[in-house]
């Protein structure tokens, strides 16, 4: 239907944007023109649920030439489009601000009101005071800022569980149980309501909060492309709502609203409840949902529609749903047209209004979970038990979708697994076969028998590569079954490629292992646990930041960590209680309090977010929490100055905590103290940023004291050599990475590390996740680039190449000699092992941000690589635009194409001999320097402002 007012506004914005974009495109031919490439509010393009009182604005600019930067800016914000000019901006006119800041510029205007849309644009001046054109017009819309904005909306929940399908049960068996028991979990709920709209609608916005996964329907069609929504959280303290613009879908007259509500993590009441590390009841209660639809009519009036006691509910074909076990769909119970206006709901009950414990509801700011990619079978064969097995070629997280034609009541059972048996004749259950969580990964579909039927799950996801199918009449093919990758839609923005095919493949596997494990939280694995273990989260964080837009993702996880905190007694001072996170966040499966090397995620995630994005808001938001947690860990200090707490260097080669604990050669206390030393330095910086001089001084002293104590306790001579180390590869790597090694001992310690790798371990690493994150970067830094490459690429166990050669497409949890085992074990998809691949960017590509000018406002360029490697290309996303570095080595002739974004600087690290032979864009350096005012520091570091550069010099390895 037409909505004249809405489209006139839209047309105006489009015209202005097109006009500005036309001017921008025309300006490309002029070297002095400034072109706005992207404009964001709160890191999003035209966001619709802004909740901050002071939104932040950022812009990326393109400019030709060299050393281009911003000297000033002006931002306008208005309540209507026609007021968005320098004379009429009624909310904020910043005026011309002499500042180079072009990211996270805080709004400083009048108060912003809930659900209102606002308009903004920006103008900048460059380093020569030349002004840009005004940017295209952008918008932002405020969200539901407090509980009153939900109006009369109520939480509704299923009134009666009327499931009668015999397939609503699943087997559940853990630990010492001799036989499985039958469980059914909480029912999926179907809700509906018909609303009558009597006027022309210009805009309609739906806001929905599901305690459990929801799907929203309007007039028979699903609203949006989200799945498994919203993201998991500590629901009793923090729940999330999602908004949809339904202006095009809603119509004058009668409209049917439908909602399906599954358990998600909120109503999951089966798995892990008997685990001694968890609360006895993992469910937060009966799943519930709250919805409000806000309409604006053509005459300017407004009206709300919402969930309340007038809604109807029923159970339906989703007869079982559990985030671990899977979905069971009995098509015989389908209710055709249940979410349309004309459906007869006389048999439905009146829904139940409840009051769940929810302290706070906020807008979901991180990207939604979506269906990202489909996979067709690459191989189909019969199992040794006669069932069909489909190989999709890639270990993924998600589900299968099927298209079948079978008789009524036919049960189709699809068991998803990560692996086959060693002889390749059957599926191997491994982590997907139940075990700790009590239920194998199974999808069940019961046919209605009236022709071709299609189905895919709605309320669970699995980790798998293979699917065993029972109950079908014909051999499965790509028309019958596909695998669907389902994950948080984080956008890939970085890139790496090199002349080394093995490293390229490692990069691909590392990315897959991350993508499979982001479902609203950074998971440990997508099948057995699906938990946000803190140690795993910080292990792969930096590599994720090099590749993906993770800003809102980690901000949300920090809220999970905070809401997971609970009062915990200090170790040496039990009379004091500290707020301390648990090993896992969010959820009711918590394990213990967060041991030191896991809990440091609370400091590392804000630190990495600040380094990579440059926004200090996360540091200031969580400073008090980080400070208190630091004090908690200091309560474990013994008389020698060592913190007596730690979990350990998880999953080194051949390690098993029950059958082979000694394979973890690094004492957990040592690796934890190394992390803590680094964190003390971070907290010293954070204290300075928060003007906390006393705590800054305390952190400086604690750091100095710990360095002395650490070296006194753990730095040892290696017998019969001139070398030293800290008793393990991991501890030695950490000490070198974090600057803990005394200056006079660095050579001895580096040689000690190399000695253990070569002479004791036969050219291999012995590190778990703590050491493996840094070992290759450290070896590169200290002149052992060839050794780092050797460790990675040797085909023998336990190298990454050994794992790849065995056929894995994601990194397994354990480092075992798989070819000597009867069957694969544990998870085969653990992103904590992707952390090492940051080495591809920070060492081989050589680009790193700096604390002094974070968010890549200034960054270093210093590629270090092994002999035999001839080229590497990386793209690094930054708030200022893409950083590109692509180098080649031909003999001793080194060249690199470097792109430095507008308003940033690159510090290119060279030796004095390299500088002597340097050419830039074909011109000798002295001439280029004179013509472009290039700064050189210490006769080796060249400072380059924005621009595209071809650097050429002689490099001898």
């Amino acid at each position: 239907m037409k909505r004249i007012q809405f489209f006139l506004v839209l047309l105006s914005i489009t015209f202005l944007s097109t006009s500005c974009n036309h001017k921008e495109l025309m300006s490309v031919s002029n070297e002095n023109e400034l072109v706005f490439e992207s404009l964001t509010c709160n890191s999003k393009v035209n966001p619709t649920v802004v909740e901050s009182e002071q939104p932040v604005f950022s812009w990326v600019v393109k400019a030709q030439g060299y050393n281009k930067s911003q000297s000033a800016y002006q931002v306008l914000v208005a309540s209507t489009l026609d007021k968005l000019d320098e004379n009429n901006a009624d909310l904020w006119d910043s005026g011309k601000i002499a500042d180079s800041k072009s990211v996270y510029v805080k709004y400083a205007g009048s108060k912003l009101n809930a659900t209102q849309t606002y308009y903004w644009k920006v103008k900048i001046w460059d380093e020569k005071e030349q002004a840009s054109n005004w940017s295209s017009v952008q918008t932002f819309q405020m969200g539901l800022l407090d509980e009153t904005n939900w109006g009369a909306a109520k939480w509704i929940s299923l009134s009666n569980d009327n499931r009668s399908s015999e397939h609503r049960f699943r087997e559940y068996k853990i630990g010492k149980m001799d036989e499985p028991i039958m469980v059914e979990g909480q029912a999926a709920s179907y809700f509906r309501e018909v609303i009558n709209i009597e006027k022309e609608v210009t805009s309609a916005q739906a806001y929905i909060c599901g305690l459990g996964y929801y799907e929203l329907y309007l007039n028979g069609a699903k609203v949006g492309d989200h799945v498994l929504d919203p993201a998991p959280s500590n629901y009793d303290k923090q729940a999330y709502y999602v908004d949809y613009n339904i202006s095009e879908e809603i119509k004058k007259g009668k409209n049917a609203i439908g909602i399906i509500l599954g358990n998600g993590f909120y109503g999951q009441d089966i798995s892990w409840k008997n685990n001694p590390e968890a609360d006895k009841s993992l469910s937060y209660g009966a799943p519930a949902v709250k919805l409000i639809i806000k309409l604006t009519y053509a005459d300017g009036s407004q009206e709300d529609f919402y969930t309340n006691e007038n809604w109807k509910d029923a159970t339906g074909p989703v007869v079982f749903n559990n985030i671990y076990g899977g979905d069971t769909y009995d098509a015989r119970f389908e209710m055709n047209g249940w979410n349309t206006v004309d459906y007869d709901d006389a048999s439905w009950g009146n829904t139940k209004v409840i009051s769940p414990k929810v302290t706070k509801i906020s807008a979901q700011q991180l990207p939604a979970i979506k269906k990202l990619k489909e996979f067709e079978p690459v191989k189909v064969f019969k199992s040794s038990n006669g069932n069909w097995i489909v190989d999709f070629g890639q270990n993924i997280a998600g589900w299968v979708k099927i298209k079948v034609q079978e008789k009524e009541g036919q049960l189709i059972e699809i068991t998803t697994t990560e692996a086959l048996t060693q002889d390749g004749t059957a599926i191997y259950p491994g982590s997907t076969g139940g075990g700790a969580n009590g239920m194998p990964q199974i999808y069940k579909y019961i046919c209605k028998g009236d022709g071709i039927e299609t189905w895919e799950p709605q309320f669970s996801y699995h980790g798998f590569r293979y699917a065993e199918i029972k109950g079908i009449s014909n051999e499965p093919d790509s028309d019958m079954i596909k695998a669907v990758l389902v994950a948080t839609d984080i956008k890939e923005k970085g890139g790496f490629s090199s002349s080394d095919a093995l490293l390229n493949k490692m990069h691909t596997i590392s990315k897959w292992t991350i993508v499979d494990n982001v479902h609203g939280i950074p998971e440990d694995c997508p099948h057995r646990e699906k938990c946000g273990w803190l140690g795993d989260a910080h292990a792969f964080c930096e590599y994720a930041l090099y590749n993906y837009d993770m800003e809102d993702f980690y901000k949300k996880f920090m809220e999970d960590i905070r809401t997971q905190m609970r009062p915990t007694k200090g170790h040496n001072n039990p009379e004091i209680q500290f707020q301390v996170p648990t090993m896992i966040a969010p959820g009711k499966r918590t394990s213990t309090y967060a041991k030191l090397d896991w809990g440091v995620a609370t400091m590392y995630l804000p630190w990495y977010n600040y380094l990579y994005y440059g926004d200090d808001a996360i540091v200031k938001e969580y400073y008090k929490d980080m400070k208190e947690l630091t004090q908690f860990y200091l309560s474990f200090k013994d008389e020698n100055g060592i913190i007596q707490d730690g979990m350990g260097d998880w999953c080194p080669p051949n390690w098993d905590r029950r059958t082979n604990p000694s394979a973890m050669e690094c004492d957990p206390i040592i690796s934890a103290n190394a992390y803590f030393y680094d964190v003390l330095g971070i907290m010293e910086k954070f204290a300075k940023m928060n003007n906390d001089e006393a705590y800054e001084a305390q952190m400086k002293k604690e750091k100095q004291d710990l360095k002395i104590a650490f070296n006194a306790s753990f730095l040892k001579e290696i017998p019969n050599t001139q070398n030293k180390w800290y008793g393990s590869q991991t501890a030695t790597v950490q000490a070198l990475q974090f600057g803990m090694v005394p200056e006079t001992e660095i050579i001895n310690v580096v040689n000690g590390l190399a000695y253990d790798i070569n002479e004791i371990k036969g050219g291999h690493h012995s590190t778990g996740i703590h050491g493996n994150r840094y070992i290759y970067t450290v070896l590169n830094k200290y002149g052992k680039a060839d050794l780092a490459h050797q460790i990675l690429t040797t085909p023998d166990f336990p190298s990454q190449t050994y794992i790849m050669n065995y056929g894995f497409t994601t990194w397994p949890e354990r480092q075992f000699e798989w070819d000597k085992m009867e069957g694969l074990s544990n998870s085969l998809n653990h992103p904590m092992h992707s952390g090492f691949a940051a080495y591809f960017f920070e060492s081989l590509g050589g680009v790193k941000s700096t604390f002094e000018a974070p968010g890549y406002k200034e960054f270093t360029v210093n590629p270090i690589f092994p002999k035999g490697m001839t080229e590497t290309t990386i793209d690094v996303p930054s708030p200022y635009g893409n950083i590109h570095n692509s180098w080649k080595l031909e003999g001793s002739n080194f060249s690199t194409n470097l792109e430095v974004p507008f308003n940033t600087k690159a510090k290119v690290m060279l030796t004095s001999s390299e500088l002597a032979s340097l050419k830039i864009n074909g011109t000798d350096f002295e001439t280029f320097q004179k013509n472009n005012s290039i700064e050189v520091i210490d006769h080796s570091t060249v400072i380059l402002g924005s621009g595209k550069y071809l650097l050429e010099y002689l490099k001898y390895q």
Side-chain angles (χ1 to χ4, degrees), residues 111-124:
K111 182 180 179 181
L112 302 170
N113 297 319
T115 73
Q116 297 301 299
T117 297
Y118 299 101
Y119 304 83
W120 72 280
K121 61 183 179 180
V122 62
K123 177 181 184 179
I124 69 167

Side-chain angles (χ1 to χ4, degrees), residues 94 131 158 172 194 241 264 299 481 504 514 521 570 799-800 914 945:
S94 69
L158 183 65
Y172 175 74
V194 175
Y241 71 86
D299 63 6
I481 186 167
N504 296 341
I514 289 178
I521 59 172
S799 73
Q800 305 298 134
E914 290 169 347

Side-chain angles (χ1 to χ4, degrees), residues 736-937:
L736 288 165
Q737 172 69 21
F738 300 144
M740 303 183 77
V741 183
E743 194 71 27
T744 57
E745 298 287 4
I746 288 178
I747 293 176
N748 293 331
V749 170
V750 170
N751 289 338
L753 175 61
Y755 173 83
D756 186 75
I757 292 169
N758 283 320
E759 304 302 324
I760 306 302
K761 302 300 190 311
H764 292 291
H765 74 278
S766 59
T767 51
I769 62 171
H770 296 341
N772 220 44
R773 162 61 186 91
Y774 301 113
I775 187 170
Y776 312 106
T777 295
V778 163
L779 288 170
N780 261 29
K781 178 180 178 180
Y782 290 102
K784 305 290 183 181
D786 293 342
L787 181 56
H789 186 261
Q790 171 196 315
I791 297 171
L792 280 170
T793 59
T794 181
D796 305 323
F797 174 81
S799 73
Q800 305 298 134
T801 299
Y802 168 84
I803 296 173
M804 293 194 304
N805 288 346
Y806 203 76
F808 295 116
T809 60
T810 50
W811 299 125
E813 177 184 14
R814 300 298 180 91
Q815 302 180 61
F816 287 147
E817 291 188 81
W818 305 105
D819 49 352
K820 295 181 180 179
M821 300 176 64
E822 291 185 7
L824 305 179
S825 64
N826 299 93
S827 164
L828 304 181
N829 198 344
H830 249 63
M832 65 185 186
H833 287 302
S834 291
F836 83 93
Y839 150 83
F840 299 150
F841 292 86
E842 65 192 10
S843 287
L844 301 182
V847 171
K848 295 184 70 174
S849 186
T850 62
F851 169 72
E852 292 74 20
Y856 297 97
K857 176 74 170 168
E858 290 185 8
F859 56 93
T860 57
V861 181
N862 185 27
I864 304 173
F865 49 92
K867 293 182 179 69
M869 181 170 278
T870 58
E871 59 183 84
T872 290
T873 297
I874 62 168
D875 288 286
V876 177
S878 89
Y880 301 90
N882 182 63
I883 298 167
H884 177 82
N885 190 32
S886 179
W887 61 257
K888 290 185 178 181
L889 181 66
E890 297 176 313
S892 58
N893 297 311
F894 183 87
S895 64
T896 184
N897 285 288
L898 176 66
E899 295 182 18
V900 182
F902 175 83
N903 210 28
T904 70
K905 291 182 178 180
K907 303 169 89 171
V908 181
M909 320 289 280
L910 303 171
T911 65
S912 56
S913 62
E914 290 169 347
L915 180 60
S917 61
L918 177 64
K919 290 182 179 180
I920 299 182
N921 295 348
T923 303
D924 67 88
F925 177 64
E926 285 191 12
T927 302
F928 191 89
Q929 182 182 21
K930 290 177 183 177
N931 293 336
N932 295 279
S933 303
I934 303 298
E935 182 184 1
V936 179
I937 301 174

